[in-house]
């Protein structure tokens, strides 16, 4: 949906994914980091300043799994 500029629909699906993931996964599960990062990307494309909060949540989780030089961490650090 993001590729077709259907940001509201993409965000809706990502919010639903979080709703399902949160009770099933540990709070620092790497899948949550992926969902937070994707939500942040959508929000950023919409110009929503709250995107930074989701990028920060994603980075906090990813730092538990990847070294600081990992491309996923570097990307988020550059954005934040």
């Amino acid at each position: 949906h993001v590729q077709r500029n259907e940001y509201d629909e993409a965000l809706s699906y990502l919010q639903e994914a979080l709703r399902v993931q949160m009770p099933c996964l540990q709070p620092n599960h790497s899948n949550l980091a992926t969902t937070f990062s994707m939500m942040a990307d959508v929000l950023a494309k919409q110009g929503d300043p709250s995107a930074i909060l989701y990028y920060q949540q994603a980075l906090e989780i990813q730092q538990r799994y990847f070294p600081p030089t990992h491309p996923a961490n570097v990307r988020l650090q550059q954005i934040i």
Side-chain angles (χ1 to χ4, degrees):
H1 295 284
V2 172
Q3 294 172 343
R4 295 182 294 204
N5 295 330
E6 297 172 350
Y7 301 123
D8 290 335
E9 193 166 352
L11 193 56
S12 176
Y13 283 118
L14 289 166
Q15 289 169 334
E16 178 65 13
L18 268 183
R19 189 188 69 74
V20 171
Q21 290 173 329
M22 294 294 269
C24 300
L25 301 175
Q26 295 293 321
N28 291 315
H29 195 282
S30 62
N31 287 357
L32 290 174
T34 301
T35 305
F36 286 137
S37 181
M38 292 171 67
M39 285 183 71
D41 288 341
V42 172
L43 291 167
K45 288 180 186 293
Q46 292 180 307
D48 188 326
S50 70
I52 195 79
L53 301 173
Y54 290 97
Y55 283 129
Q56 289 170 335
Q57 285 180 296
L59 181 59
E60 285 177 23
I61 295 170
Q62 285 181 182
Q63 287 175 331
R64 295 175 179 268
Y65 294 95
F66 304 121
T69 56
H70 189 278
N73 287 345
V74 170
R75 174 185 173 268
L76 293 179
Q77 289 167 350
Q78 290 173 342
I79 292 169
I80 296 171

